[in-house]
């Protein structure tokens, strides 16, 4: 520890696992900067605008993630926001700390396309359990309460305002989704996505999280070509209207990329594993203030519109 009481940033660390999307961005030399710093996660942006998330091993892998072998990097104690970053083939240099990517295990973050199309006849029950669990586990102020046509109990004035604005934007978007699936016309769908983009506060705004969930629902429900077209329409409309990290997650979702808990949730639905569905929904509802619940709300809302087995309304 240095005289100022801060942990030294000098060291050599190793990455254990990384999203294939993230690792692919580290194949050539470039520079970047630190965008946001949390205790166990730091977000980086390269000069090309690519966003990466370095995290301790206790943080579930996501589509932008490179996971370190250490459980807690304590980034906030030594790494300043806006610090310069260097990427070289096989390593990332943060301040004076070298993160080696050599030997790290690649992980594919993309959910299986059209996974729900051939699911068992029991899937409607799994999706009903998903919706019921979301209703009970969602924190106050979450867009999950849009599914019930009501505001969150005990929502603050600001949260209630976000819910009302989201309701006004979500309804035409769902109608636009149904129309886009039926006719191939994405225009009203894009306009509605743009109206949800950036809505709400937090690191990833609630409206963006809702859109991410919708993109993932599209990905697992429709044939790959149609799914990519619709999911990209969401990202193209919304990403320019929101913050950098949120836009990166939207673009990842447009390719079906999601975190490990999402993969586990989709598999639990496919396996008709009701306890597994409940536990994964409860886990996702703990992500951020309302981020996980908001993305699940978009997922369930879209599934009710798409031509797959839908939860009971």
């Amino acid at each position: 520890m240095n005289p100022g009481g801060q942990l030294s940033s000098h060291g050599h660390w190793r990455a254990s696992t990384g999203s294939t999307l993230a690792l692919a961005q580290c194949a050539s030399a470039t520079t970047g900067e630190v965008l946001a710093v949390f205790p166990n996660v730091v977000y980086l942006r390269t000069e090309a605008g690519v966003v990466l998330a370095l995290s301790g091993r206790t943080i579930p892998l996501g589509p932008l993630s490179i996971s370190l072998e250490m459980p807690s990097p304590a980034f906030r104690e030594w790494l300043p926001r806006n610090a310069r970053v260097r990427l070289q083939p096989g390593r990332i240099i943060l301040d004076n700390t070298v993160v080696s990517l050599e030997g790290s295990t690649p992980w594919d973050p993309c959910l299986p396309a059209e996974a729900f199309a051939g699911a068992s006849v029991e899937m409607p029950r799994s999706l009903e359990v998903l919706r019921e669990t979301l209703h009970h586990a969602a924190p106050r102020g979450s867009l999950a309460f849009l599914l019930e046509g009501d505001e969150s109990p005990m929502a603050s004035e600001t949260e209630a305002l976000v819910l009302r604005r989201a309701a006004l934007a979500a309804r035409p978007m769902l109608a636009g989704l149904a129309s886009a699936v039926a006719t191939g016309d994405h225009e009203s769908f894009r306009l509605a996505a743009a109206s949800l983009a950036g809505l709400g506060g937090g690191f990833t705004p609630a409206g963006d999280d809702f859109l991410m969930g919708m993109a993932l629902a599209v990905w697992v429900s429709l044939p790959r070509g149609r799914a990519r077209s619709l999911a990209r329409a969401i990202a193209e409309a919304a990403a320019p209207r929101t913050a950098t990290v949120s836009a990166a997650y939207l673009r990842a979702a447009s390719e079906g990329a999601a975190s490990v808990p999402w993969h586990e949730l989709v598999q639990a639905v496919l396996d008709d594993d009701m306890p597994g569905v409940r536990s994964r929904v409860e886990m996702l509802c703990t992500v951020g203030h309302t981020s996980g619940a908001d993305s699940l709300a978009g997922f369930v809302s879209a599934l009710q519109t798409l031509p797959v087995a839908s939860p009971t309304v």
Side-chain angles (χ1 to χ4, degrees):
M1 185 168 291
N2 65 26
Q6 300 295 307
L7 290 179
S8 170
S9 61
H10 296 259
H12 293 269
W13 297 350
R14 294 188 62 82
S16 59
T17 314
S19 156
T20 52
L21 297 181
L23 291 174
Q25 302 302 324
C26 302
S28 57
T30 186
T31 60
E33 64 178 342
V34 173
L35 278 179
V37 184
F38 299 93
N40 295 319
V41 182
V42 60
Y43 285 91
L44 318 174
R45 177 174 56 190
T46 72
E47 61 184 12
V50 173
V51 175
L52 304 173
L54 288 183
S55 63
R57 68 168 182 250
T58 57
I59 305 297
L61 278 168
L64 312 179
S65 293
I66 295 174
S67 181
L68 304 173
E69 289 183 342
M70 61 180 55
S72 179
F75 289 118
R76 273 188 175 158
E77 299 186 33
W78 59 271
L79 186 64
R81 188 173 180 272
N82 297 325
R84 298 302 296 170
V85 177
R86 286 179 290 157
L87 280 76
Q88 299 173 352
R91 64 181 188 170
I92 298 171
I93 303 171
L94 301 172
D95 197 12
N96 292 311
T97 295
V98 176
V99 178
S100 173
L101 306 178
E102 297 292 340
S104 58
T105 302
W107 167 73
D108 184 359
C110 294
L111 295 171
E114 206 176 351
F116 285 1
S120 77
V121 294
E122 294 296 321
M123 192 175 75
R125 177 56 187 156
S126 296
L127 296 178
E128 175 76 2
V129 168
L130 192 165
R131 175 173 170 159
E132 290 172 352
T133 307
L134 176 59
H135 176 69
H136 293 295
R140 79 175 201 175
S142 168
L143 302 189
F145 293 93
L146 290 178
L147 301 176
E148 310 303 323
D150 199 359
E151 293 181 357
S152 165
M154 299 177 63
S156 69
E157 184 176 345
T158 300
E159 290 166 338
L161 176 62
V162 169
L163 283 166
R164 285 193 291 271
R165 288 181 59 193
L168 290 174
R171 291 185 188 112
M173 181 159 190
L174 293 169
L177 175 59
S179 175
V181 170
T183 68
D185 181 4
H186 297 174
E187 189 55 32
S188 61
F189 185 54
R190 287 193 186 94
L191 290 172
S195 69
L196 264 172
L199 178 63
F203 189 61
T204 55
D208 297 353
D209 294 324
F210 191 89
L211 292 172
M212 289 177 216
M214 289 192 72
L216 296 178
V218 164
W219 192 263
V220 298
S221 301
L222 299 177
R224 186 182 296 270
R226 294 172 69 197
R228 179 173 279 115
S229 177
L230 280 166
R232 284 182 175 175
I234 293 174
E236 288 166 4
R241 301 172 65 90
T242 191
T244 301
V245 172
S246 204
Y249 277 117
L250 280 165
R251 292 190 180 100
S254 75
E255 300 298 325
S259 65
V260 167
W262 274 99
H263 284 254
E264 294 171 344
L265 173 62
V266 167
Q267 191 59 53
V269 170
L270 291 173
D271 292 343
D272 308 317
D273 175 6
M274 309 306 174
V277 170
R278 290 189 187 94
S279 68
R280 293 301 172 264
V281 170
E282 289 168 353
M283 177 187 296
L284 283 164
C285 281
T286 67
V287 174
H289 176 49
T290 62
S291 287
D294 292 339
S295 57
L296 283 167
F299 187 74
V300 173
S301 296
L303 288 179
Q304 293 177 164
T305 304
L306 292 165
V308 295
S310 301
T312 303
V313 179

PDB file of all heavy atoms in Angstrom, residues 111-119 216-227 266 270 308:
ATOM      1  N   LEU A 111     -27.275 -16.149 -27.450  1.00  0.00           N
ATOM      2  CA  LEU A 111     -28.335 -17.103 -27.171  1.00  0.00           C
ATOM      3  C   LEU A 111     -28.660 -17.892 -28.443  1.00  0.00           C
ATOM      4  O   LEU A 111     -28.467 -17.397 -29.554  1.00  0.00           O
ATOM      5  CB  LEU A 111     -29.597 -16.368 -26.701  1.00  0.00           C
ATOM      6  CG  LEU A 111     -29.493 -15.615 -25.370  1.00  0.00           C
ATOM      7  CD1 LEU A 111     -30.739 -14.758 -25.145  1.00  0.00           C
ATOM      8  CD2 LEU A 111     -29.295 -16.580 -24.212  1.00  0.00           C
ATOM      9  N   PRO A 112     -29.168 -19.123 -28.292  1.00  0.00           N
ATOM     10  CA  PRO A 112     -29.495 -19.916 -29.486  1.00  0.00           C
ATOM     11  C   PRO A 112     -30.656 -19.293 -30.260  1.00  0.00           C
ATOM     12  O   PRO A 112     -31.729 -19.036 -29.709  1.00  0.00           O
ATOM     13  CB  PRO A 112     -29.869 -21.288 -28.906  1.00  0.00           C
ATOM     14  CG  PRO A 112     -30.263 -21.014 -27.488  1.00  0.00           C
ATOM     15  CD  PRO A 112     -29.428 -19.857 -27.043  1.00  0.00           C
ATOM     16  N   ALA A 113     -30.425 -19.018 -31.524  1.00  0.00           N
ATOM     17  CA  ALA A 113     -31.474 -18.433 -32.361  1.00  0.00           C
ATOM     18  C   ALA A 113     -32.640 -19.405 -32.495  1.00  0.00           C
ATOM     19  O   ALA A 113     -32.450 -20.617 -32.591  1.00  0.00           O
ATOM     20  CB  ALA A 113     -30.910 -18.078 -33.735  1.00  0.00           C
ATOM     21  N   GLU A 114     -33.835 -18.877 -32.470  1.00  0.00           N
ATOM     22  CA  GLU A 114     -35.072 -19.641 -32.699  1.00  0.00           C
ATOM     23  C   GLU A 114     -35.260 -20.762 -31.677  1.00  0.00           C
ATOM     24  O   GLU A 114     -35.961 -21.738 -31.942  1.00  0.00           O
ATOM     25  CB  GLU A 114     -35.057 -20.207 -34.129  1.00  0.00           C
ATOM     26  CG  GLU A 114     -36.434 -20.468 -34.709  1.00  0.00           C
ATOM     27  CD  GLU A 114     -36.380 -20.940 -36.156  1.00  0.00           C
ATOM     28  OE1 GLU A 114     -35.293 -20.901 -36.777  1.00  0.00           O
ATOM     29  OE2 GLU A 114     -37.433 -21.346 -36.655  1.00  0.00           O
ATOM     30  N   ALA A 115     -34.648 -20.630 -30.504  1.00  0.00           N
ATOM     31  CA  ALA A 115     -34.692 -21.705 -29.516  1.00  0.00           C
ATOM     32  C   ALA A 115     -36.107 -22.029 -29.081  1.00  0.00           C
ATOM     33  O   ALA A 115     -36.444 -23.192 -28.834  1.00  0.00           O
ATOM     34  CB  ALA A 115     -33.850 -21.316 -28.298  1.00  0.00           C
ATOM     35  N   PHE A 116     -36.955 -21.020 -28.962  1.00  0.00           N
ATOM     36  CA  PHE A 116     -38.306 -21.256 -28.449  1.00  0.00           C
ATOM     37  C   PHE A 116     -39.257 -21.793 -29.507  1.00  0.00           C
ATOM     38  O   PHE A 116     -40.346 -22.263 -29.164  1.00  0.00           O
ATOM     39  CB  PHE A 116     -38.881 -19.962 -27.870  1.00  0.00           C
ATOM     40  CG  PHE A 116     -38.307 -19.580 -26.518  1.00  0.00           C
ATOM     41  CD1 PHE A 116     -37.331 -20.340 -25.909  1.00  0.00           C
ATOM     42  CD2 PHE A 116     -38.759 -18.439 -25.870  1.00  0.00           C
ATOM     43  CE1 PHE A 116     -36.803 -19.988 -24.670  1.00  0.00           C
ATOM     44  CE2 PHE A 116     -38.243 -18.074 -24.630  1.00  0.00           C
ATOM     45  CZ  PHE A 116     -37.267 -18.850 -24.029  1.00  0.00           C
ATOM     46  N   ALA A 117     -38.881 -21.708 -30.774  1.00  0.00           N
ATOM     47  CA  ALA A 117     -39.799 -22.115 -31.840  1.00  0.00           C
ATOM     48  C   ALA A 117     -40.118 -23.605 -31.783  1.00  0.00           C
ATOM     49  O   ALA A 117     -41.229 -24.018 -32.076  1.00  0.00           O
ATOM     50  CB  ALA A 117     -39.218 -21.752 -33.200  1.00  0.00           C
ATOM     51  N   GLY A 118     -39.143 -24.407 -31.392  1.00  0.00           N
ATOM     52  CA  GLY A 118     -39.377 -25.843 -31.347  1.00  0.00           C
ATOM     53  C   GLY A 118     -39.495 -26.385 -29.936  1.00  0.00           C
ATOM     54  O   GLY A 118     -39.260 -27.563 -29.696  1.00  0.00           O
ATOM     55  N   ALA A 119     -39.848 -25.520 -28.986  1.00  0.00           N
ATOM     56  CA  ALA A 119     -39.902 -25.931 -27.584  1.00  0.00           C
ATOM     57  C   ALA A 119     -41.097 -26.844 -27.318  1.00  0.00           C
ATOM     58  O   ALA A 119     -42.022 -26.956 -28.122  1.00  0.00           O
ATOM     59  CB  ALA A 119     -39.968 -24.704 -26.693  1.00  0.00           C
ATOM     60  N   LEU A 216     -33.703  -9.670 -27.170  1.00  0.00           N
ATOM     61  CA  LEU A 216     -33.378 -11.063 -26.838  1.00  0.00           C
ATOM     62  C   LEU A 216     -34.571 -11.980 -27.086  1.00  0.00           C
ATOM     63  O   LEU A 216     -34.406 -13.116 -27.550  1.00  0.00           O
ATOM     64  CB  LEU A 216     -32.922 -11.156 -25.381  1.00  0.00           C
ATOM     65  CG  LEU A 216     -31.621 -10.411 -25.053  1.00  0.00           C
ATOM     66  CD1 LEU A 216     -31.293 -10.544 -23.568  1.00  0.00           C
ATOM     67  CD2 LEU A 216     -30.457 -10.901 -25.908  1.00  0.00           C
ATOM     68  N   ALA A 217     -35.782 -11.496 -26.800  1.00  0.00           N
ATOM     69  CA  ALA A 217     -36.982 -12.292 -27.077  1.00  0.00           C
ATOM     70  C   ALA A 217     -37.130 -12.552 -28.568  1.00  0.00           C
ATOM     71  O   ALA A 217     -37.463 -13.667 -29.002  1.00  0.00           O
ATOM     72  CB  ALA A 217     -38.215 -11.575 -26.532  1.00  0.00           C
ATOM     73  N   VAL A 218     -36.892 -11.525 -29.364  1.00  0.00           N
ATOM     74  CA  VAL A 218     -36.938 -11.666 -30.819  1.00  0.00           C
ATOM     75  C   VAL A 218     -35.926 -12.717 -31.276  1.00  0.00           C
ATOM     76  O   VAL A 218     -36.210 -13.573 -32.121  1.00  0.00           O
ATOM     77  CB  VAL A 218     -36.660 -10.301 -31.490  1.00  0.00           C
ATOM     78  CG1 VAL A 218     -36.308 -10.464 -32.961  1.00  0.00           C
ATOM     79  CG2 VAL A 218     -37.862  -9.371 -31.329  1.00  0.00           C
ATOM     80  N   TRP A 219     -34.725 -12.655 -30.691  1.00  0.00           N
ATOM     81  CA  TRP A 219     -33.650 -13.548 -31.096  1.00  0.00           C
ATOM     82  C   TRP A 219     -33.990 -15.018 -30.847  1.00  0.00           C
ATOM     83  O   TRP A 219     -33.691 -15.881 -31.679  1.00  0.00           O
ATOM     84  CB  TRP A 219     -32.364 -13.170 -30.356  1.00  0.00           C
ATOM     85  CG  TRP A 219     -31.166 -13.850 -30.912  1.00  0.00           C
ATOM     86  CD1 TRP A 219     -30.585 -14.993 -30.447  1.00  0.00           C
ATOM     87  CD2 TRP A 219     -30.406 -13.459 -32.061  1.00  0.00           C
ATOM     88  NE1 TRP A 219     -29.498 -15.337 -31.223  1.00  0.00           N
ATOM     89  CE2 TRP A 219     -29.369 -14.402 -32.225  1.00  0.00           C
ATOM     90  CE3 TRP A 219     -30.501 -12.394 -32.959  1.00  0.00           C
ATOM     91  CZ2 TRP A 219     -28.443 -14.321 -33.258  1.00  0.00           C
ATOM     92  CZ3 TRP A 219     -29.562 -12.310 -33.982  1.00  0.00           C
ATOM     93  CH2 TRP A 219     -28.562 -13.264 -34.117  1.00  0.00           C
ATOM     94  N   VAL A 220     -34.585 -15.331 -29.692  1.00  0.00           N
ATOM     95  CA  VAL A 220     -34.850 -16.746 -29.379  1.00  0.00           C
ATOM     96  C   VAL A 220     -36.174 -17.243 -29.957  1.00  0.00           C
ATOM     97  O   VAL A 220     -36.482 -18.432 -29.834  1.00  0.00           O
ATOM     98  CB  VAL A 220     -34.845 -16.997 -27.850  1.00  0.00           C
ATOM     99  CG1 VAL A 220     -33.482 -16.689 -27.257  1.00  0.00           C
ATOM    100  CG2 VAL A 220     -35.934 -16.197 -27.140  1.00  0.00           C
ATOM    101  N   SER A 221     -36.935 -16.351 -30.594  1.00  0.00           N
ATOM    102  CA  SER A 221     -38.263 -16.734 -31.057  1.00  0.00           C
ATOM    103  C   SER A 221     -38.398 -16.865 -32.566  1.00  0.00           C
ATOM    104  O   SER A 221     -39.207 -17.660 -33.044  1.00  0.00           O
ATOM    105  CB  SER A 221     -39.300 -15.714 -30.570  1.00  0.00           C
ATOM    106  OG  SER A 221     -39.305 -15.619 -29.164  1.00  0.00           O
ATOM    107  N   LEU A 222     -37.634 -16.087 -33.314  1.00  0.00           N
ATOM    108  CA  LEU A 222     -37.819 -16.022 -34.763  1.00  0.00           C
ATOM    109  C   LEU A 222     -36.637 -16.634 -35.499  1.00  0.00           C
ATOM    110  O   LEU A 222     -35.551 -16.755 -34.936  1.00  0.00           O
ATOM    111  CB  LEU A 222     -37.986 -14.557 -35.201  1.00  0.00           C
ATOM    112  CG  LEU A 222     -39.178 -13.802 -34.613  1.00  0.00           C
ATOM    113  CD1 LEU A 222     -39.156 -12.355 -35.084  1.00  0.00           C
ATOM    114  CD2 LEU A 222     -40.485 -14.468 -34.987  1.00  0.00           C
ATOM    115  N   PRO A 223     -36.814 -17.008 -36.772  1.00  0.00           N
ATOM    116  CA  PRO A 223     -35.675 -17.467 -37.582  1.00  0.00           C
ATOM    117  C   PRO A 223     -34.565 -16.425 -37.584  1.00  0.00           C
ATOM    118  O   PRO A 223     -34.827 -15.220 -37.518  1.00  0.00           O
ATOM    119  CB  PRO A 223     -36.294 -17.646 -38.977  1.00  0.00           C
ATOM    120  CG  PRO A 223     -37.741 -17.916 -38.711  1.00  0.00           C
ATOM    121  CD  PRO A 223     -38.086 -17.087 -37.504  1.00  0.00           C
ATOM    122  N   ARG A 224     -33.324 -16.880 -37.679  1.00  0.00           N
ATOM    123  CA  ARG A 224     -32.164 -16.025 -37.468  1.00  0.00           C
ATOM    124  C   ARG A 224     -32.190 -14.746 -38.315  1.00  0.00           C
ATOM    125  O   ARG A 224     -31.921 -13.654 -37.814  1.00  0.00           O
ATOM    126  CB  ARG A 224     -30.881 -16.809 -37.763  1.00  0.00           C
ATOM    127  CG  ARG A 224     -29.607 -16.036 -37.437  1.00  0.00           C
ATOM    128  CD  ARG A 224     -28.375 -16.857 -37.806  1.00  0.00           C
ATOM    129  NE  ARG A 224     -28.291 -18.070 -37.005  1.00  0.00           N
ATOM    130  CZ  ARG A 224     -27.655 -18.152 -35.842  1.00  0.00           C
ATOM    131  NH1 ARG A 224     -27.055 -17.089 -35.341  1.00  0.00           N
ATOM    132  NH2 ARG A 224     -27.614 -19.297 -35.192  1.00  0.00           N
ATOM    133  N   GLY A 225     -32.512 -14.861 -39.603  1.00  0.00           N
ATOM    134  CA  GLY A 225     -32.500 -13.689 -40.467  1.00  0.00           C
ATOM    135  C   GLY A 225     -33.512 -12.642 -40.043  1.00  0.00           C
ATOM    136  O   GLY A 225     -33.191 -11.445 -39.950  1.00  0.00           O
ATOM    137  N   ARG A 226     -34.741 -13.055 -39.754  1.00  0.00           N
ATOM    138  CA  ARG A 226     -35.780 -12.121 -39.323  1.00  0.00           C
ATOM    139  C   ARG A 226     -35.463 -11.570 -37.939  1.00  0.00           C
ATOM    140  O   ARG A 226     -35.692 -10.388 -37.653  1.00  0.00           O
ATOM    141  CB  ARG A 226     -37.144 -12.813 -39.324  1.00  0.00           C
ATOM    142  CG  ARG A 226     -37.630 -13.212 -40.710  1.00  0.00           C
ATOM    143  CD  ARG A 226     -38.885 -14.047 -40.622  1.00  0.00           C
ATOM    144  NE  ARG A 226     -40.016 -13.259 -40.159  1.00  0.00           N
ATOM    145  CZ  ARG A 226     -41.141 -13.792 -39.682  1.00  0.00           C
ATOM    146  NH1 ARG A 226     -41.271 -15.097 -39.584  1.00  0.00           N
ATOM    147  NH2 ARG A 226     -42.132 -13.012 -39.311  1.00  0.00           N
ATOM    148  N   ALA A 227     -34.936 -12.428 -37.083  1.00  0.00           N
ATOM    149  CA  ALA A 227     -34.591 -11.979 -35.728  1.00  0.00           C
ATOM    150  C   ALA A 227     -33.508 -10.911 -35.784  1.00  0.00           C
ATOM    151  O   ALA A 227     -33.608  -9.871 -35.121  1.00  0.00           O
ATOM    152  CB  ALA A 227     -34.121 -13.168 -34.888  1.00  0.00           C
ATOM    153  N   VAL A 266     -33.009 -19.044 -20.289  1.00  0.00           N
ATOM    154  CA  VAL A 266     -33.537 -19.607 -21.532  1.00  0.00           C
ATOM    155  C   VAL A 266     -33.481 -21.132 -21.489  1.00  0.00           C
ATOM    156  O   VAL A 266     -34.432 -21.812 -21.884  1.00  0.00           O
ATOM    157  CB  VAL A 266     -32.764 -19.054 -22.745  1.00  0.00           C
ATOM    158  CG1 VAL A 266     -33.070 -19.852 -24.016  1.00  0.00           C
ATOM    159  CG2 VAL A 266     -33.110 -17.583 -22.960  1.00  0.00           C
ATOM    160  N   LEU A 270     -36.565 -23.869 -21.697  1.00  0.00           N
ATOM    161  CA  LEU A 270     -36.561 -24.970 -22.664  1.00  0.00           C
ATOM    162  C   LEU A 270     -36.671 -26.328 -21.985  1.00  0.00           C
ATOM    163  O   LEU A 270     -37.269 -27.264 -22.533  1.00  0.00           O
ATOM    164  CB  LEU A 270     -35.276 -24.924 -23.499  1.00  0.00           C
ATOM    165  CG  LEU A 270     -35.155 -23.744 -24.471  1.00  0.00           C
ATOM    166  CD1 LEU A 270     -33.760 -23.726 -25.094  1.00  0.00           C
ATOM    167  CD2 LEU A 270     -36.220 -23.814 -25.550  1.00  0.00           C
ATOM    168  N   VAL A 308     -44.915 -17.350 -30.744  1.00  0.00           N
ATOM    169  CA  VAL A 308     -44.414 -18.492 -30.000  1.00  0.00           C
ATOM    170  C   VAL A 308     -45.418 -18.766 -28.901  1.00  0.00           C
ATOM    171  O   VAL A 308     -46.340 -18.006 -28.672  1.00  0.00           O
ATOM    172  CB  VAL A 308     -43.022 -18.220 -29.370  1.00  0.00           C
ATOM    173  CG1 VAL A 308     -41.985 -18.026 -30.466  1.00  0.00           C
ATOM    174  CG2 VAL A 308     -43.047 -17.030 -28.439  1.00  0.00           C
TER     175      VAL A 308
END
